[in-house]
Amino acid sequence: MIPGVPGESQVYLNGEFLRLDEAKISVLDRGFIFGDGIYEVVPVYQGNAFRMAEHLNRLDRSLAALRIAQPFDRAGWIDLIQQLLARTDMETGIVYLQVTRGVAKRDHQFPSVPVAPTVFGMVSAWSPPTAGQRAKGLAAISIPDERWLHCEIKSVSLLGNVLAKQQAVDAQVDEVVQFRDGYLTEGSSTNIWVVSDGKLLAPPKNNLILEGIRYGLMGELAAEAGIPFESRRISQQEVEQADELMLSSATKEVLAIVSLDGKPVGSGKPGPVFEQLRAGYDARIAAL
Ligand code: PDD
């Protein structure tokens, strides 16, 4: 028994649907040994996967970046997600997908003989942010980004992100805002947004951040709301002087950050740009 995880829930592992407590992988799986794998987290509303095509496009990019063989074609992935959802009677939840390079003798280089990737999928219970979190906003602290230089790959090698998130927990705040060489990168598991002089700003899409599926979506929502959007390097000083800060991710959706390093951000309350983008996000979910 793993606390908080219902053992009877149905998961997919390497061609089979099983109870979670029956799903087992080899200790020589390269995901376990080296963190040699990739993943996706797809939110589900009203039983429908949100932005599924975009998540599957990113999954393809992550596999290609690590040169892991693609286990399914697009129809195969969609079928897997639909089967997982059908077996788990859940209206709101998270589809988690993971592919590792597979099982091989422990050796850093890629296996010299063809190895089948390990494919795992599960649906987990998840509650969207509460009305209180939406109305009150979150607190964050600034920290140096100490992760590797391929943050664009959605890899399961997440130790840097794990240590960053624990710093937030230790400081009794909700998230970290990371900076590399004096410029904003992202949160531990979120993209960070800055509002300055009525403009929405985000760091450029490069190897220093994961391009969240909400990155593209926020751009669309800003355009719909007539909010100018710029993707460029953002200095730590600009973040400290921002009118608004917010974060986005599959599980946090869009939330305001109202306090950074113990100081209020702007008015100290979720701001008008957040409210507009948040309303747009809600409309997209409702239209699913
Ligand atoms: N994390 N940046 C990092 C480092 C992330 O881990 C995530 C998502 C994001 C936002 O991406 P998206 O909008 O596609 O969720 C940005 C997921 C939710 C996780 O690891 O659980």
Side-chain angles (χ1 to χ4, degrees):
M1 258 293 284
I2 304 169
V5 182
E8 67 280 6
S9 60
Q10 286 273 305
V11 303
Y12 171 89
L13 182 63
N14 294 334
E16 280 183 288
F17 287 92
L18 304 160
R19 286 170 54 108
L20 178 76
D21 56 11
E22 286 168 354
K24 303 274 187 272
I25 58 158
S26 164
V27 291
L28 287 182
D29 192 280
R30 288 180 62 102
F32 177 61
I33 295 280
F34 294 119
D36 186 358
I38 61 98
Y39 74 108
E40 274 300 324
V41 175
V42 188
V44 175
Y45 300 93
Q46 298 114 243
N48 296 310
F50 185 48
R51 306 286 280 195
M52 179 166 65
E54 288 83 354
H55 279 279
L56 292 177
N57 289 342
R58 185 172 63 185
L59 182 140
D60 289 350
R61 291 200 300 275
S62 301
L63 287 172
L66 298 189
R67 292 193 272 152
I68 295 177
Q70 175 63 261
F72 298 128
D73 60 13
R74 180 56 57 102
W77 280 115
I78 294 172
D79 185 54
L80 171 58
I81 291 172
Q82 269 154 8
Q83 287 210 53
L84 280 167
L85 288 174
R87 279 158 205 267
T88 319
D89 194 17
M90 212 179 275
E91 285 289 293
T92 311
I94 288 292
V95 175
Y96 178 85
L97 303 171
Q98 178 171 333
V99 183
T100 77
R101 199 178 305 280
V103 178
K105 177 173 176 295
R106 184 181 180 282
D107 217 341
H108 286 68
Q109 74 229 33
F110 297 171
S112 50
V113 290
V115 165
T118 299
V119 185
F120 174 60
M122 67 178 167
V123 178
S124 306
W126 161 72
S127 306
T130 61
Q133 284 173 312
R134 291 169 58 143
K136 285 219 301 263
L138 305 177
I141 52 166
S142 310
I143 64 164
D145 192 337
E146 294 174 340
R147 300 171 304 157
W148 72 329
L149 293 171
H150 275 300
C151 299
E152 82 282 13
I153 305 171
K154 199 160 173 67
S155 149
V156 293
S157 297
L158 284 172
L159 195 47
N161 306 63
V162 166
L163 293 176
K165 183 62 192 244
Q166 190 57 37
Q167 287 191 58
V169 172
D170 292 346
Q172 296 180 307
V173 296
D174 304 288
E175 179 58 304
V176 293
V177 177
Q178 300 184 96
F179 295 89
R180 197 188 285 271
D181 302 328
Y183 288 91
L184 172 65
T185 56
E186 60 182 342
S188 68
S189 53
T190 57
N191 288 120
I192 304 286
W193 303 85
V194 177
V195 178
S196 186
D197 292 332
K199 244 190 223 164
L200 180 69
L201 308 175
K205 295 186 259 179
N206 58 24
N207 63 314
L208 302 182
I209 67 163
L210 180 78
E211 182 189 339
I213 299 311
R214 269 128 291 276
Y215 191 112
L217 178 55
M218 291 281 275
E220 289 172 29
L221 297 177
E224 282 169 20
I227 301 163
F229 168 54
E230 226 177 279
S231 167
R232 64 157 170 85
R233 294 214 304 170
I234 305 162
S235 71
Q236 184 151 5
Q237 195 187 19
E238 282 182 282
V239 173
E240 284 162 3
Q241 295 171 353
D243 300 322
E244 296 182 39
L245 290 180
M246 53 194 112
L247 57 73
S248 67
S249 79
T251 48
K252 300 282 182 239
E253 303 178 332
V254 188
L255 289 173
I257 297 174
V258 296
S259 137
L260 184 65
D261 302 321
K263 297 185 209 92
V265 176
S267 68
K269 295 204 180 82
V273 174
F274 163 75
E275 298 295 353
Q276 276 177 287
L277 294 170
R278 182 66 248 188
Y281 200 91
D282 287 337
R284 293 296 185 99
I285 295 168
L288 250 185

